[in-house]
Amino acid sequence: MAELTRRLGRLRPAPENFLSEADLKAAREGRRRFLRTSLLAAGAAAGAPLGAQAGEADPAIVNLPPWTTSPGSPVAARPYGSPSRHRSALQRRELPGLSPVGANSASYCPLQGLFGIITPSGLHYERHHHGWHDIDPSRHRLMINASRPGLIAEPRIYTVEDLMRLPPVSRIHFIECSGNTGTERAHATMPTVQYTHGLLSCSEFTGVPLRLLLEECGVDFRRARFALAEGADGASLTRTIPMALIESGEVLVAYGQNGESLRPENGFPLRLVVPGVQGVSWVKWLRRIEVGDAPYATREESLHYIDLMPDGQHRQYTSIQECKSVITTPSGGQTLLSRGFHNISGLAWSGRGRVTGVDVSVDGGRNWRSARLEAPVLAKALTRFNFDWVWDGQAAVLQSRAIDETGYVQPTPAELRAVRGTGSIYHNHAIQSWQVRPSGEVVNVQVV
Amino acid sequence: MAELTRRLGRLRPAPENFLSEADLKAAREGRRRFLRTSLLAAGAAAGAPLGAQAGEADPAIVNLPPWTTSPGSPVAARPYGSPSRHRSALQRRELPGLSPVGANSASYCPLQGLFGIITPSGLHYERHHHGWHDIDPSRHRLMINASRPGLIAEPRIYTVEDLMRLPPVSRIHFIECSGNTGTERAHATMPTVQYTHGLLSCSEFTGVPLRLLLEECGVDFRRARFALAEGADGASLTRTIPMALIESGEVLVAYGQNGESLRPENGFPLRLVVPGVQGVSWVKWLRRIEVGDAPYATREESLHYIDLMPDGQHRQYTSIQECKSVITTPSGGQTLLSRGFHNISGLAWSGRGRVTGVDVSVDGGRNWRSARLEAPVLAKALTRFNFDWVWDGQAAVLQSRAIDETGYVQPTPAELRAVRGTGSIYHNHAIQSWQVRPSGEVVNVQVV
């Protein structure tokens, strides 16, 4: 610690890329002014001890701002609060040109400005196939039925309230669109981590294990080997879920997210939670589960969400999101304003279980050192890592590499490409590289 | 599981008390209608298997709603999302009459409608002494100084950006106002859990250990045994923090909450996080830490936040929030509409560490059984528990009793009163009782 604090004297801030160009300019200029002021103030404080009462503070040191000299807003002024207006630039954003139809598109989570592992629900990424509605929960139903007689003893229909009265579980899990990082499969493309990796979020979900509902309906688990999940959106999105996942108890019919009801954009009032599996299978606005004895090969399993391999064959049902990580700061679009200490922070996750380690390289993968993992480290949840770095002002390439409890190591782009080629859009979990230029600018590069 | 699912057939919903009287009436009436409809529908489904395509659904079973037959809103329609309009009754609320001045009052978190352990930041409880402001972070500073020369080598002033560049940690912790449940110290008073226990929330906080900052300033830890934390609000709220807590590394200067910046009502841009300790010490809008060699006995430590004992003496600095729990559903103001299975759910926490168990009684404390604890169970964080219960329609008294890793067992009101009397407003952590009447109404009672 003592050595670290000595180095911290040389710390200079790097504005996040949710700041505007004007903010960036102000930060560059304001920094020099502040350093002069604060050094003077610190000197003055050392020579002139202050009393315990704030009112006695020396005006030469603290020029009291309006929030200290005037009464503030009352409690419950906002019965449901929102972020500071000073953080309004932190938004989920559509990628211009991604889709001609906003109702069939995606918005990206601003990972570069987030902390810890919980994604604020207001910034959760979106992927809609036919837009989102704020469904009236009193009119919504979940039906459980079967593709043919004999697979289920008693089909049932549940109201949302029925489900909320059943024994619930709460679990923290990541959700990642399998298209996340799909733009980067052949070469570096997107300027910021919001667009390279922002189809990723993590929440505490609350709901009922789907297994419990199927047991209640008397499903014959020896014969019903698959289930079809169907959404109430205009796309009536459908995905096949292997019964083995459901029988494990991990698959939830969720109504809660981060302590409250799901948000409309994330499937209110009900969505499927399929831990470790690509986001498209977490069917939103869930209205039906049909049990069957074969995969359904629906539109979203045949035309999309498939992996085109180098031999021209498609792989279907490759739904587990493999071990992956990314540095979120410093990252593309940010600028290091000076040499000295910079904390490298990022996220790691695996659809196979817990992350057991994250290595960080600052020289493009030649040397690696272990990052610190923040607790709690949970299975199929985001894990936050941090890493001390002193920038010497030279060009550097920052990378992170995650390892999960199965021993699987996140591959380089070259390793992934050797198996997959570059024709596949989905499931790109290769190592991401950010180049720090001598100017301090951070840009997306690909180191194969 | 099989036994449970058989009992689930008799489940009937209990509307949360964030529903209006009109909602409640609608739920009572709609219930009977829905049961007829769903039984018919379930029968029809069993006899008429459906295809995998939503468009083929039999209109006799599913009367397609507008959200299935029309395109929805585009992605990023709300760059920062908010809850469903159907959940707008779930609000933090001031207790009418609690204070003549809303800027010096409290708003209560609606625990009866929340899930899991993470409190949505928009519903986090509030306790302000002079109102809240949305502080401009570029104008905010944190000063670290000392009460007299020699305790610190180099006083310093930090900008918010300086702090955000230091090595951070992220941790999930509860925060509880020591006045929480203060209304219930002599007899049952408040109608709902929002008002009996709603000065309680739990978040993932991100920030810098205060120890690191004090090390950087060269604090002499052998002589500086206390620190004073001071807020930038009009009350300039001040609290003494024992240096032993700071040296443990647990005390954070936090800027992040649930993945994003602190909310203005919760101290944006900086607040102190003092895990396990009463909320008043988690100084909001933190602007100064002064190290000293004695407690400061400030206004908020001498006139308020003290425990009046039966012998007329005051206890000061009793700041640890002891092991406590509460059932959040069913709870006061809710109504059980029918006999049968009801999930009992609640929260447990301890300022001393991890919760190791929660017992639930449905007969006013004569018999106890263990509840299920939801993972993760974290030190000085809320722990969610659930408990299966089949209501036979008779009067019942529901209680929960938490045990923590020190072996401490949450006391009954009589046990607490034997030590404390009833003169003390603060630190009431006694067992809470909810009576279920044969009518299904749930009311606050005190079983000593």
Side-chain angles (χ1 to χ4, degrees):
Chain A
M1 273 302 185
E3 187 195 358
L4 178 59
T5 56
R6 278 195 297 278
R7 282 188 284 155
L8 291 177
R10 299 189 296 274
L11 176 70
R12 299 296 184 279
E16 309 291 352
N17 65 350
F18 56 83
L19 295 182
S20 66
E21 282 303 311
D23 289 333
L24 188 65
K25 186 161 176 291
R28 284 178 192 276
E29 293 174 356
R31 161 70 16 189
R32 296 188 197 97
R33 271 202 308 282
F34 164 67
L35 278 175
R36 282 196 302 275
T37 315
S38 65
L39 289 172
L40 283 170
L50 303 180
Q53 297 303 314
E56 298 171 22
D58 183 340
I61 298 169
V62 180
N63 190 8
L64 291 176
W67 43 84
T68 303
T69 56
S70 65
S73 301
V75 299
R78 307 195 297 185
Y80 193 98
S82 54
S84 165
R85 64 195 159 88
H86 301 289
R87 290 290 183 260
S88 61
L90 196 65
Q91 300 180 352
R92 53 188 174 196
R93 297 176 194 273
E94 189 178 2
L95 182 62
L98 178 69
S99 166
V101 182
N104 179 16
S105 187
S107 76
Y108 294 72
C109 182
L111 301 179
Q112 72 280 3
L114 300 187
F115 316 119
I117 62 170
I118 297 293
T119 305
S121 297
L123 295 172
H124 195 290
Y125 87 84
E126 300 166 279
R127 171 72 179 101
H128 309 311
H129 291 251
H130 210 235
W132 63 273
H133 292 268
D134 189 359
I135 289 180
D136 180 351
S138 72
R139 294 179 60 194
H140 187 75
R141 298 291 183 274
L142 174 65
M143 171 184 282
I144 296 185
N145 66 346
S147 63
R148 58 183 182 76
L151 295 180
I152 191 170
E154 184 187 19
R156 282 178 177 245
I157 294 180
Y158 296 87
T159 66
V160 177
E161 285 201 342
D162 288 336
L163 296 170
M164 289 173 70
R165 298 284 85 73
L166 293 167
V169 299
S170 295
R171 290 174 190 156
I172 297 174
H173 288 301
F174 79 83
I175 171 172
E176 182 183 19
C177 178
S178 54
N180 199 28
T181 326
T183 54
E184 310 302 306
R185 64 193 186 278
H187 45 74
T189 304
M190 291 295 134
T192 70
V193 72
Q194 181 161 10
Y195 294 122
T196 59
H197 288 76
L199 298 178
L200 172 72
S201 294
C202 183
S203 302
E204 183 187 32
F205 293 97
T206 297
V208 183
L210 177 55
R211 181 180 65 190
L212 183 67
L213 303 180
L214 298 191
E215 285 175 349
E216 191 183 356
C217 294
V219 164
D220 181 346
F221 286 101
R222 290 163 308 173
R223 296 165 62 200
R225 299 314 303 154
F226 296 91
L228 184 80
E230 180 185 88
D233 56 326
S236 295
L237 185 117
T238 41
R239 288 289 306 188
T240 301
I241 312 292
M243 194 61 78
L245 275 181
I246 297 167
E247 289 191 76
S248 78
E250 287 195 359
V251 178
L252 308 182
V253 175
Y255 47 80
Q257 181 178 353
N258 292 338
E260 62 189 352
S261 292
L262 292 164
R263 295 294 177 85
E265 294 94 327
N266 300 120
F268 177 82
L270 298 176
R271 89 171 302 169
L272 207 61
V273 166
V274 194
V277 169
Q278 58 188 346
V280 68
S281 293
W282 298 42
V283 174
K284 293 185 286 193
W285 315 293
L286 183 72
R287 72 169 177 195
R288 197 165 66 92
I289 296 287
E290 177 183 296
V291 297
D293 47 13
Y296 284 80
T298 72
R299 178 176 184 277
E300 301 300 336
E301 297 169 341
S302 307
L303 292 176
H304 304 296
Y305 300 97
I306 49 177
D307 300 326
L308 176 58
M309 303 299 283
D311 63 0
Q313 299 274 311
H314 278 123
R315 290 202 310 198
Q316 261 179 302
Y317 302 112
T318 50
S319 50
I320 303 289
Q321 297 297 107
E322 298 288 355
C323 187
K324 186 171 173 181
S325 69
V326 67
I327 292 169
T328 55
T329 185
S331 62
Q334 298 181 336
T335 304
L336 307 191
L337 291 176
S338 81
R339 304 173 186 191
F341 179 87
H342 291 272
N343 181 66
I344 293 176
S345 188
L347 295 165
W349 61 99
S350 169
R352 304 279 180 191
R354 281 180 179 73
V355 168
T356 53
V358 176
D359 300 324
V360 169
S361 173
V362 296
D363 58 8
R366 279 189 294 276
N367 296 284
W368 298 89
R369 280 192 296 140
S370 294
R372 300 188 303 278
L373 304 187
E374 295 295 323
V377 177
L378 301 169
K380 306 179 185 180
L382 293 187
T383 296
R384 171 67 63 174
F385 66 85
N386 287 294
F387 183 88
D388 295 339
W389 181 47
V390 178
W391 184 44
D392 60 5
Q394 303 301 308
V397 174
L398 313 184
Q399 299 180 326
S400 65
R401 178 178 71 184
I403 302 119
D404 71 16
E405 62 179 290
T406 71
Y408 185 86
V409 180
Q410 183 181 5
T412 64
E415 288 168 344
L416 192 64
R417 213 166 285 164
V419 178
R420 294 252 200 96
T422 58
S424 171
I425 296 173
Y426 301 99
H427 304 108
N428 177 9
H429 63 295
I431 290 171
Q432 170 70 36
S433 300
W434 303 113
Q435 183 183 48
V436 180
R437 294 177 172 165
S439 64
E441 290 172 288
V442 184
V443 296
N444 184 4
V445 295
Q446 195 161 107
V447 176
V448 293
Chain B
M1 272 304 184
E3 188 192 358
L4 178 61
T5 56
R6 278 195 297 277
R7 284 186 285 156
L8 290 177
R10 299 188 296 274
L11 176 69
R12 298 298 183 276
E16 309 292 349
N17 64 350
F18 55 82
L19 295 182
S20 67
E21 283 303 312
D23 288 334
L24 188 64
K25 187 161 175 290
R28 285 178 192 276
E29 293 175 357
R31 161 69 16 187
R32 297 189 196 96
R33 269 202 309 282
F34 164 66
L35 279 175
R36 283 195 302 276
T37 315
S38 64
L39 289 172
L40 283 170
L50 304 180
Q53 296 303 310
E56 298 171 23
D58 183 341
I61 298 169
V62 181
N63 190 8
L64 290 176
W67 43 84
T68 303
T69 56
S70 65
S73 301
V75 298
R78 309 194 297 185
Y80 192 97
S82 53
S84 165
R85 64 195 158 88
H86 301 288
R87 291 290 183 260
S88 60
L90 196 65
Q91 300 181 352
R92 53 186 173 198
R93 297 177 195 273
E94 190 178 5
L95 183 61
L98 178 69
S99 166
V101 182
N104 179 17
S105 187
S107 76
Y108 294 73
C109 181
L111 302 179
Q112 71 280 2
L114 300 188
F115 316 118
I117 62 170
I118 296 293
T119 306
S121 297
L123 295 172
H124 196 289
Y125 87 85
E126 299 166 279
R127 170 72 179 102
H128 309 312
H129 291 251
H130 210 235
W132 62 273
H133 292 268
D134 189 359
I135 289 180
D136 180 351
S138 72
R139 295 179 58 194
H140 188 75
R141 298 289 183 275
L142 173 65
M143 172 184 281
I144 296 185
N145 66 346
S147 62
R148 58 184 182 76
L151 295 180
I152 192 170
E154 185 186 19
R156 282 179 179 244
I157 294 180
Y158 296 87
T159 66
V160 177
E161 284 202 340
D162 287 337
L163 296 169
M164 289 173 71
R165 297 285 86 71
L166 292 168
V169 299
S170 294
R171 291 175 190 155
I172 297 174
H173 288 302
F174 78 84
I175 171 172
E176 182 183 20
C177 179
S178 53
N180 199 28
T181 326
T183 55
E184 311 301 306
R185 65 192 184 278
H187 44 75
T189 305
M190 291 295 134
T192 70
V193 73
Q194 181 161 9
Y195 294 122
T196 60
H197 288 76
L199 298 178
L200 172 72
S201 294
C202 183
S203 302
E204 183 187 32
F205 293 98
T206 298
V208 183
L210 177 54
R211 181 180 66 190
L212 182 66
L213 302 181
L214 299 191
E215 286 175 349
E216 192 183 356
C217 295
V219 165
D220 181 346
F221 286 101
R222 290 162 309 170
R223 296 165 64 199
R225 300 313 304 154
F226 296 91
L228 184 80
E230 180 186 89
D233 55 328
S236 294
L237 185 116
T238 41
R239 288 290 306 189
T240 301
I241 312 292
M243 195 60 78
L245 276 180
I246 297 167
E247 288 191 76
S248 78
E250 287 195 357
V251 177
L252 308 183
V253 175
Y255 48 80
Q257 180 179 353
N258 292 339
E260 61 190 351
S261 292
L262 292 163
R263 294 294 176 84
E265 295 94 328
N266 300 120
F268 177 81
L270 298 176
R271 89 172 303 168
L272 208 60
V273 166
V274 194
V277 168
Q278 57 189 344
V280 67
S281 293
W282 298 42
V283 173
K284 292 185 288 193
W285 315 293
L286 183 72
R287 73 168 175 195
R288 196 165 67 90
I289 298 287
E290 178 184 295
V291 297
D293 46 14
Y296 285 79
T298 72
R299 178 176 184 277
E300 300 300 338
E301 296 169 342
S302 308
L303 292 176
H304 303 297
Y305 299 98
I306 50 177
D307 300 328
L308 176 58
M309 303 299 283
D311 63 0
Q313 299 274 311
H314 278 122
R315 291 200 312 195
Q316 263 180 301
Y317 301 113
T318 51
S319 50
I320 302 290
Q321 297 297 107
E322 298 288 356
C323 188
K324 186 170 174 181
S325 69
V326 66
I327 292 169
T328 55
T329 185
S331 62
Q334 298 181 337
T335 304
L336 308 191
L337 291 176
S338 81
R339 304 173 188 192
F341 179 87
H342 290 273
N343 181 66
I344 293 176
S345 187
L347 296 165
W349 62 100
S350 169
R352 303 280 180 190
R354 281 181 179 73
V355 168
T356 52
V358 176
D359 300 325
V360 168
S361 173
V362 297
D363 57 8
R366 280 189 293 277
N367 296 284
W368 298 89
R369 282 194 294 140
S370 294
R372 300 189 302 280
L373 305 187
E374 294 295 324
V377 176
L378 302 169
K380 306 180 186 180
L382 293 186
T383 297
R384 171 67 64 176
F385 66 85
N386 287 294
F387 184 88
D388 295 339
W389 180 47
V390 177
W391 184 44
D392 60 6
Q394 304 300 307
V397 174
L398 312 185
Q399 299 178 327
S400 65
R401 178 178 70 185
I403 301 117
D404 72 16
E405 61 180 293
T406 71
Y408 184 86
V409 180
Q410 184 182 8
T412 65
E415 288 168 344
L416 193 64
R417 213 167 284 164
V419 178
R420 294 253 198 94
T422 59
S424 171
I425 296 171
Y426 301 98
H427 304 110
N428 178 8
H429 64 295
I431 289 170
Q432 170 70 37
S433 299
W434 303 113
Q435 183 183 49
V436 181
R437 294 177 171 164
S439 66
E441 290 171 288
V442 184
V443 296
N444 185 4
V445 297
Q446 195 160 109
V447 176
V448 293

